[in-house]
Amino acid sequence: MNTESIIASSNHQEWPRVSINGVPLDPQAIALEMQYHPAETREEAVFLAAQALVIRELLEQRAAYLGVDVFPQADETDEEALIRGLLELEVAVPTVDDQALEQFYQSNQERFSSAPLVAARHILLAVAPDDVAGRSRTREQAVALLDQLRDNPSRFAALAAQYSDCPSKAQGGALGQLSSGQTVAEFERQLLRLDEGLAGQPLESRYGFHIVLVDQRIDGRQLPFELVRDSIQAELGERVWQKAVVHYIETLIGDAGIEGIVMRGAASPLLQ
């Protein structure tokens, strides 16, 4: 449940004296709840914890009023089952139509393409990530090797065998075919942008500096809408659901008698 957009504030006493429709909030419950709401200050954590407990109490009171009775599913507490049943009963979620799905697809096409595939070789000059002086020297060595390869790229395998600190040196530095998620992130970001041929600069990673030669590059292709439609529908459906739940909670707040903490609520009351 996403309640981040619900704002709470209270007075500055150690434990706010909060009541919800006449039901007082136990300060000990606030103290226990604080562990789930890390914040920059203790005061903020107190208020966030109190806010969460107010929302929970409102949901439980509403469920009791309506007589909600739900059997818990696997790994679900009685309280979680009760709130789930209440939300299923009372929160109407608009359907995301095909037009909205296609519009999202067209506006985010970079998200819906397959990753490029790169066949590459490298020469790794290893150096510890926290060795500042060593990194400076190693980069200079990498640049010098790169200059040699610009004049004679055919020496790549020989220089890999001589200088590389990666086991791939036994195969002339060959890394095979790489795509997204197959190497460390900082190296991958640079590698997958390279064109075929010798990279113009050494690539830096946590392991050191890489001199890279791309033998082949196959660019990613745009995935058709039909292939990603279900994933878009799931994502947008979750957004709509979260927005509807937040509005429902704000409506409960607006309809309740809450003392000791100020929370934003919707103006229109629930139908009884």
Side-chain angles (χ1 to χ4, degrees), residues 212-260:
V212 176
L213 177 65
V214 176
D215 292 314
Q216 184 182 22
R217 176 186 175 88
I218 302 173
D219 288 324
R221 63 181 182 86
Q222 188 68 36
L223 299 175
F225 172 72
E226 293 73 17
L227 192 63
V228 297
R229 182 187 183 282
D230 289 348
S231 65
I232 296 174
Q233 187 172 43
E235 179 177 344
L236 295 188
E238 179 64 20
R239 292 185 188 182
V240 171
W241 164 253
Q242 290 182 357
K243 184 176 180 180
V245 169
V246 168
H247 178 72
Y248 175 70
I249 293 172
E250 289 176 340
T251 303
L252 287 178
I253 292 168
D255 201 42
I258 300 173
E259 297 180 358

Side-chain angles (χ1 to χ4, degrees), residues 64-136:
Y65 174 81
L66 295 173
V68 175
D69 186 14
V70 180
F71 188 78
Q73 297 176 350
D75 300 324
E76 188 178 48
T77 65
D78 290 343
E79 180 185 81
E80 291 168 344
L82 189 69
I83 292 174
R84 172 177 56 80
L86 174 66
L87 297 180
E88 289 174 352
L89 178 66
E90 293 231 282
V91 177
V93 182
T95 302
V96 182
D97 60 27
D98 283 341
Q99 182 178 355
L101 297 177
E102 291 193 34
Q103 183 176 356
F104 186 84
Y105 172 77
Q106 294 298 336
S107 300
N108 298 274
Q109 290 201 4
E110 71 283 354
R111 289 184 50 187
F112 304 111
S113 60
S114 60
L117 185 66
V118 171
R121 291 178 277 165
H122 83 149
I123 299 170
L124 170 63
L125 302 183
V127 60
D130 57 352
D131 184 356
V132 177
R135 287 211 156 230
S136 179

Side-chain angles (χ1 to χ4, degrees), residues 52-214:
L53 292 173
V54 168
I55 292 170
R56 191 179 307 161
E57 178 65 26
L58 283 171
L59 292 168
E60 291 179 356
Q61 288 183 13
R62 182 65 178 174
Y65 174 81
L66 295 173
V68 175
D69 186 14
V70 180
F71 188 78
Q73 297 176 350
D75 300 324
E76 188 178 48
T77 65
D78 290 343
E79 180 185 81
E80 291 168 344
L82 189 69
I83 292 174
R84 172 177 56 80
L86 174 66
L87 297 180
E88 289 174 352
L89 178 66
E90 293 231 282
V91 177
V93 182
T95 302
V96 182
D97 60 27
D98 283 341
Q99 182 178 355
L101 297 177
E102 291 193 34
Q103 183 176 356
F104 186 84
Y105 172 77
Q106 294 298 336
S107 300
N108 298 274
Q109 290 201 4
E110 71 283 354
R111 289 184 50 187
F112 304 111
S113 60
S114 60
L117 185 66
V118 171
R121 291 178 277 165
H122 83 149
I123 299 170
L124 170 63
L125 302 183
V127 60
D130 57 352
D131 184 356
V132 177
R135 287 211 156 230
S136 179
R137 291 192 301 270
T138 303
R139 189 181 192 286
E140 290 178 0
Q141 294 169 6
V143 169
L145 282 175
L146 192 57
D147 286 340
Q148 293 184 48
L149 289 168
R150 286 195 186 99
D151 295 334
N152 191 356
S154 63
R155 295 193 61 209
F156 196 98
L159 291 178
Q162 182 176 356
Y163 293 105
S164 183
D165 295 310
C166 177
S168 64
K169 66 182 182 180
Q171 291 80 41
L175 294 171
Q177 292 184 331
L178 298 174
S179 188
S180 179
Q182 292 185 287
T183 183
V184 293
E186 69 274 17
F187 182 58
E188 176 185 292
R189 282 195 299 270
Q190 301 170 82
L191 175 66
L192 296 184
R193 293 192 186 106
L194 295 177
D195 295 325
E196 291 184 3
L198 189 66
Q201 295 292 332
L203 276 56
E204 185 174 5
S205 78
R206 71 193 71 176
Y207 299 114
F209 290 87
H210 309 254
I211 301 163
V212 176
L213 177 65
V214 176

